[in-house]
DNA sequence: GGAGATTGTTTGGGGAGCAAACAAATTCGG
DNA sequence: CCGAATTTGTTTGCTCCCCAAACAATCTCC
């Protein structure tokens, strides 16, 4: 019988049930994908997080939306959104204009520089997506996305 | 042609390409699963993160391992691990014993209370897993895990 | 025995997230 | 139409995760 302790430097250790847990595999995969995203952008001399990319796309496709609407779409608190918008605005990619109809809200929009940057970003994201899905057929990728959506639907806040 | 702007309060907005991006769907699903995990534990009066659960399982199945070995297995920096172990140790679930063979390393292990707690935690995780996979057949769940592993393998740090 | 590597810790910095409180503005009820 | 309730964006405070760099203690290898 193999004694496990001893000296087992890098050779992966016993993970028990973990590899059969959906939550565990999901978390590890997400972590690796995030790293790949970061590496892809870093290598291109750009800096962006997946969350920022999603935010920019949302603002581009829904110009003039408010921070509350954006926060809801992102599933985060409105107070969490503030520093993120500050950063993007400081980079000159995004603006908070005064809403003509509601004095409380800001009408979010991309600057021309933001539009141009988003085009570059989209190219990098496409390359990143291609790499992480390189082990899958197109059909498998669609299946994977569909299954993930089903999981997300079942995993409600409760 | 429908003018998008106007007032579209909660009715989901235009997400553009995002729903077809694996990284995006993965991130949103992971977020929902995390929330379900937290809600499951909170409802049972327990407090634990998915990461802590994984760590405890790893320590249980590989008693006596060092912090470096654990950090490598978790894919995090050794300095990141320190406050996490401090917290778990303060909760009396885990101990850092002196290694008899190597004065630099700590031999990590669960306390009896840690073993008992982990049994409770495992039950909650099982319930959580059952819920998030409730929309999937057993075969689909296996398929999903397999596809995620493939993605993880392709998404290398680069 | 000494040079170099490894381990755990501390410090410093960044980001993500929530809750509570607040002022300004809007909406709603009478 | 005017006051009350609600909504929005912001600030502050707190927790957590993550990394990099530096440091002392210890081990390894020559």
């Amino acid at each position: 019988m193999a004694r496990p302790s001893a000296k087992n430097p890098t050779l992966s250790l016993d993970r028990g049930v973990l590899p059969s847990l959906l939550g565990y595999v999901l978390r590890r995969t997400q972590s690796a994908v995030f790293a790949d995203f970061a590496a892809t952008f870093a290598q291109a001399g750009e800096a962006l997080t997946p969350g920022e990319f999603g935010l920019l796309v949302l603002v581009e496709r829904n110009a003039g939306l408010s921070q509350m609407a954006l926060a809801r779409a992102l599933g985060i608190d409105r107070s969490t959104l503030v520093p993120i918008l500050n950063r993007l605005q400081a980079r000159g990619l995004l603006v908070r204009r005064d809403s003509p109809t509601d004095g409380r809200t800001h009408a979010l929009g991309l600057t021309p520089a933001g539009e141009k940057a988003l085009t570059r970003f989209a190219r990098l994201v496409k390359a990143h997506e291609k790499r992480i899905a390189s082990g899958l057929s197109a059909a498998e990728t669609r299946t994977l996305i569909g299954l993930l959506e089903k999981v997300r639907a079942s995993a409600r806040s409760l």
Side-chain angles (χ1 to χ4, degrees), chain A:
Chain A
M1 42 187 115
R3 267 194 287 125
S5 291
K7 287 283 159 60
N8 207 350
T10 317
L11 288 87
S12 66
L13 26 127
D14 184 357
R15 295 193 132 77
V17 281
L18 296 180
S20 71
L21 297 182
L22 189 46
Y24 181 78
V25 177
L26 199 51
R27 207 163 56 85
R28 298 214 106 214
T29 304
Q30 150 69 17
S31 167
V33 168
F34 181 92
D36 187 287
F37 188 101
T40 302
F41 274 72
Q43 197 169 328
E46 305 269 12
L48 202 75
T49 66
E52 289 169 340
F53 178 74
L55 188 156
L56 291 177
V57 170
L58 249 31
V59 171
E60 191 203 31
R61 310 278 310 201
N62 306 272
L65 87 173
S66 70
Q67 296 185 195
M68 266 307 296
L70 180 56
R72 262 192 299 265
L74 293 171
I76 64 177
D77 194 89
R78 65 191 196 275
S79 65
T80 303
L81 187 56
V82 174
I84 301 175
L85 292 180
N86 288 347
R87 201 184 329 133
L88 259 16
Q89 190 162 20
R91 287 173 65 176
L93 304 180
L94 171 151
V95 277
R96 288 187 251 224
R97 301 197 187 85
D98 288 342
S99 165
T101 64
D102 190 333
R104 296 167 300 178
T105 70
H106 288 156
L108 301 175
L110 297 189
T111 62
E115 300 274 8
K116 273 187 59 181
L118 186 50
T119 305
R120 294 198 311 275
F121 296 160
R123 251 196 303 273
L124 291 173
V125 166
K126 196 168 291 181
H128 155 72
E129 282 280 324
K130 189 178 171 187
R131 183 159 347 97
I132 65 176
S134 61
L136 276 51
S137 70
E140 282 178 320
T141 303
R142 279 192 301 274
T143 299
L144 176 51
I145 289 181
L147 293 175
L148 287 172
E149 292 287 11
K150 279 195 196 174
V151 169
R152 185 165 73 88
S154 303
R156 266 284 156 261
S157 43
L158 192 64

